[in-house]
Amino acid sequence: MKIIKVKDYESMSKKAAFILASQVNIKDDSVLGLATGSTPLGMYKEIIQIYKERLIDFSNITTFNLDEYYGLSGKDHQSYRYYMNQNLFDHINIDKQNTFIPNGKTDNPELESNNYDKLVEEKGNIDLQVLGIGSNAHIGFNEPDEKFASGTHLVDLNEETIKANSRFFNSLDEVPKKAISMGMRNIMRAKKIILLASGIDKAEAIKNTIKGDIIPEVPASILQLHPDVTFIIDEEAASKL
Ligand SMILES: O=P(O)(O)OC[C@H]1O[C@](O)(CO)[C@@H](O)[C@@H]1O
């Protein structure tokens, strides 16, 4: 486990963008695992900037996102498909056919999940996985539970997550209560993982993830078992280490 402590959100975003850009440069047909939420927004802005300076080419890149709200279509402004298009894909030369996000509108979440897992495998698994972390230490939407979920699956979001994510919606009632999320198998099979965390709200989760036991009640703690994981965390997120 490698820990890169940086000053603030901006330095975290720059560092993460640099690692992602290097991955794309080194292997131009990389498979990237991408995250949503507020944490990676700065990184995506930096990536777009690097792209504009013509330093990276996404034409052969494939991406898989971690999760999508169940019940939202990609056209919904709160969906993660919409988020990815707005914040990254519409600004770079990626072929959208090669960008994958679970279909939140499926009427068969199990089939959708199985197909998603198969597709990740068909593409040779993820080269670089980018993760954020919830204040309850969830990664993707893998909530604290009695066991680690393996494959992509339909998740009941817990109250803390629904409350935290309500800041993106008009009201608490509008926040979807379920999501389709990659499980730990795809995440742990990624060749390299970077986890980004910024702010005091993440300090406890970071401490438990890095220093605590490997338990499903702290989903991100499973990363202790990964051979190539780098935490890029700012001073506040690192304050309890
Ligand atoms: O980055 P945020 O907005 O704090 O969210 C934390 C995590 O929760 C999610 O929004 C749910 O998957 C992730 O995308 C993110 O990593």
Side-chain angles (χ1 to χ4, degrees):
M1 237 177 355
K2 194 169 152 195
I3 299 170
I4 302 179
K5 255 195 239 172
V6 291
K7 192 170 179 302
D8 52 17
Y9 181 80
E10 200 190 333
S11 337
M12 177 200 76
S13 304
K14 284 203 160 95
K15 186 83 203 166
F18 178 78
I19 294 173
L20 196 142
S22 304
Q23 174 69 41
V24 172
N25 270 334
I26 290 164
K27 186 169 184 258
D28 70 355
D29 61 349
S30 289
V31 178
L32 304 176
L34 299 178
T36 50
S38 38
T39 307
L41 282 173
M43 177 190 75
Y44 292 141
K45 282 207 180 93
E46 293 289 338
I47 290 286
I48 293 166
Q49 199 47 45
I50 299 173
Y51 170 73
K52 281 188 179 149
E53 289 158 13
R54 296 277 173 246
L55 299 177
I56 32 178
D57 173 16
F58 285 90
S59 56
N60 291 318
I61 294 291
T62 298
T63 65
F64 284 94
N65 265 79
L66 286 163
D67 43 22
E68 178 60 283
Y69 285 120
Y70 185 52
L72 298 193
S73 91
K75 292 203 176 74
D76 194 304
H77 289 202
Q78 309 292 359
S79 72
Y80 285 162
R81 162 55 75 184
Y82 190 85
Y83 167 113
M84 288 308 302
N85 288 348
Q86 287 282 309
N87 293 305
L88 184 66
F89 299 151
D90 284 346
H91 308 279
I92 57 175
N93 69 334
I94 197 158
D95 180 348
K96 286 230 184 93
Q97 307 268 32
N98 296 332
T99 66
F100 300 98
I101 301 180
N103 172 16
K105 268 298 199 194
T106 180
D107 47 19
N108 190 341
E110 204 180 322
L111 184 65
E112 173 69 17
S113 300
N114 293 342
N115 287 343
Y116 203 67
D117 285 340
K118 267 189 217 148
L119 201 57
V120 175
E121 269 182 46
E122 270 168 36
K123 300 284 179 188
N125 292 316
I126 290 163
D127 290 301
L128 173 65
Q129 175 68 55
V130 178
L131 295 174
I133 186 168
S135 51
N136 63 4
H138 73 220
I139 48 177
F141 268 130
N142 291 282
E143 298 281 34
D145 208 340
E146 285 162 13
K147 57 181 176 49
F148 290 108
S150 175
T152 299
H153 58 296
L154 187 64
V155 183
D156 287 317
L157 302 178
N158 73 21
E159 266 179 47
E160 199 178 338
T161 302
I162 293 170
K163 240 186 241 161
N165 288 6
S166 66
R167 66 191 193 279
F168 301 114
F169 292 80
N170 292 325
S171 72
L172 198 63
D173 286 349
E174 277 183 28
V175 188
K177 309 294 179 283
K178 289 176 191 281
I180 298 177
S181 177
M182 256 187 207
M184 296 306 188
R185 190 173 61 225
N186 289 329
I187 295 173
M188 291 299 281
R189 278 184 184 168
K191 292 178 191 91
K192 184 179 179 63
I193 298 177
I194 54 174
L195 184 146
L196 282 51
S198 165
I200 197 72
D201 290 353
K202 303 292 170 68
E204 187 71 21
I206 287 295
K207 183 187 82 182
N208 295 336
T209 294
I210 294 175
K211 293 257 165 94
D213 293 337
I214 303 168
I215 48 171
E217 288 80 4
V218 180
S221 63
I222 199 170
L223 298 173
Q224 290 180 32
L225 299 172
H226 193 277
D228 189 353
V229 58
T230 302
F231 290 80
I232 307 170
I233 48 182
D234 73 4
E235 281 173 5
E236 287 190 6
S239 61
K240 293 192 175 168
L241 284 179

